[in-house]
Amino acid sequence: MASDLFVCSSRSEGFSTVVTEALILGKPVVATNCSGMTELLGDSEYGLVTENNEDALYLGIKTLISDNTLLNHYQKKSQERSRDFDIKKTMHEVEKLWL
């Protein structure tokens, strides 16, 4: 994915596969606060979670593209979070459920 960041502007979501994919690719994420985002991104720990309105989303995107230090921070946090979706780790967790 050739982009500087990923934006999820959903009004509502379930488990966001596309945000998970962006994390796996190590892209900084800006997302509106809707179901599933805090589970994936924490309280803006692994990606910037904004209020669920156009103005807040605009400010979140503007903040990240204007601040390379913050953009790099969220890129590193995204890469860190992506380790939680490693197939071997996931399979190990599933196997623990059965044993």
Side-chain angles (χ1 to χ4, degrees):
M1 178 194 302
S3 63
D4 294 326
L5 62 103
F6 180 79
V7 177
C8 182
S9 59
S10 297
R11 294 203 185 274
S12 63
E13 281 275 346
F15 181 82
S16 181
T17 304
V18 70
V19 170
T20 305
E21 291 169 343
L23 292 168
I24 290 168
L25 292 172
K27 297 299 176 180
V29 175
V30 178
T32 53
N33 188 9
C34 60
S35 179
M37 291 309 152
T38 55
E39 289 81 5
L40 286 169
L41 303 174
D43 187 22
S44 289
E45 181 180 357
Y46 297 106
L48 184 60
V49 180
T50 70
E51 291 182 31
N52 201 331
N53 64 62
E54 292 177 19
D55 292 334
L57 182 61
Y58 167 77
L59 289 174
I61 295 168
K62 183 179 176 184
T63 298
L64 275 187
I65 63 175
S66 301
D67 185 343
N68 280 335
T69 301
L70 189 60
L71 188 67
N72 289 332
H73 166 77
Y74 278 119
Q75 181 176 16
K76 289 176 185 171
K77 294 302 282 186
S78 180
Q79 292 167 346
E80 180 183 315
R81 180 70 166 112
S82 74
R83 293 184 204 118
D84 292 329
F85 304 107
D86 177 75
I87 189 69
K88 289 180 184 177
K89 181 177 182 176
T90 303
M91 289 304 300
H92 178 71
E93 293 298 319
V94 169
E95 289 171 352
K96 283 184 356 185
L97 291 171
W98 295 104
L99 300 177

